[in-house]
Amino acid sequence: MSLHDITARIAKAESAAGRLAGSTKLIAVSKVQPNERVEAVLSQGHRCFGENRVQEAAEKWPGFKEQFSGIDLHLIGPLQTNKARQAIELFNAIHSVDRPKLAKTLARLAQEVGHCPELFIQVNTGEEEQKAGIMPVDADAFIAECRELDLPVQGLMAIPPVEEEPSLHFALLAKIAERNGLEGLSMGMSGDFEQAIALGATHVRVGSAIFGERVKPAG
């Protein structure tokens, strides 16, 4: 696959779902990808990228930001509270707000720094013990809590269980978002982003289909 192939598939999925062209943002997941692959995608004009770890992004992106203008960087992996200040300074959006302690930390730091990235609340739609995210039954209350903290919550994010039909989880996430008046839906990855678009995804996270298989760091 190429970046062109993926954007064409997104446009086709939007059209099939009766959605506005360009209403889905493609987050190119660049985690654990060599810099030359990332630079190749940047050189094609793409500017929206997703990283899993604050430390890796801090090493990779300042140099690219000097070289390329208009980079839109999204944190899509878990965020530790001790990395929250660095994340606020580095990212345009954080997709993994998943617990009250983190929400309170982000609210305090946003007041100190004077700005806050767009925020997405991660919902554990599959209620998996090993996975981060607020449980669906607790989502409404947590969304309200984040709003009381004046956090700029744009939407919700989910990663469906690998062995289950993703559309069921996308539909659940969309239902929670709708009843809470949230428009952003960060859902869908390389294997299922067309299904996610059909169910209202505003952000899809595609990595290996654009860059090829991830390269694990040495050691």
Side-chain angles (χ1 to χ4, degrees):
M1 282 285 158
S2 67
L3 177 65
H4 175 77
D5 293 331
I6 297 298
T7 54
R9 283 172 60 186
I10 288 172
K12 186 176 179 181
E14 287 173 338
S15 176
R19 303 229 348 237
L20 281 174
S23 58
T24 311
K25 180 175 281 191
L26 170 61
I27 302 172
V29 180
S30 48
K31 64 178 182 180
V32 204
Q33 291 290 352
N35 281 1
E36 58 268 23
R37 289 188 185 177
V38 179
E39 187 170 355
V41 175
L42 279 162
S43 296
Q44 293 176 65
H46 194 72
R47 290 294 180 267
C48 184
F49 292 82
E51 290 285 342
N52 253 41
R53 295 172 62 244
V54 175
Q55 185 176 343
E56 183 186 344
E59 293 168 1
K60 181 187 296 182
W61 285 97
F64 283 139
K65 286 182 176 181
E66 287 181 10
Q67 192 178 353
F68 298 93
S69 63
I71 287 172
D72 181 21
L73 196 59
H74 294 238
L75 178 65
I76 57 175
L79 177 58
Q80 299 169 311
T81 50
N82 65 348
K83 300 279 190 186
R85 182 183 293 274
Q86 194 176 11
I88 282 178
E89 293 169 351
L90 189 59
F91 292 95
N92 301 94
I94 295 170
H95 291 238
S96 48
V97 181
D98 62 353
R99 59 199 186 279
K101 183 182 178 183
L102 177 59
K104 289 170 184 171
T105 300
L106 289 169
R108 175 177 57 79
L109 291 171
Q111 291 293 325
E112 289 179 19
V113 175
H115 70 91
C116 187
E118 291 186 351
L119 300 178
F120 290 75
I121 290 169
Q122 183 171 354
V123 181
N124 187 347
T125 57
E127 301 183 25
E128 298 172 275
E129 289 183 12
Q130 79 281 11
K131 192 173 284 182
I134 203 86
M135 292 296 171
V137 69
D138 300 320
D140 294 0
F142 185 55
I143 292 165
E145 182 178 349
C146 290
R147 285 172 164 161
E148 287 172 9
L149 291 166
D150 285 332
L151 289 172
V153 178
Q154 304 297 312
L156 306 177
M157 184 270 261
I159 304 169
V162 174
E163 69 283 358
E164 294 187 17
E165 169 54 50
S167 292
L168 299 174
H169 295 271
F170 299 153
L172 173 59
L173 196 71
K175 187 176 180 181
I176 297 170
E178 183 179 16
R179 71 172 179 247
N180 284 283
L182 292 169
E183 294 185 359
L185 286 170
S186 174
M187 58 189 197
M189 297 186 283
S190 290
D192 56 26
F193 66 84
E194 281 133 329
Q195 291 169 272
I197 290 169
L199 288 164
T202 58
H203 297 67
V204 294
R205 310 178 301 272
V206 180
S208 56
I210 294 173
F211 295 102
E213 290 305 310
R214 272 180 252 153
V215 177
K216 293 185 178 178

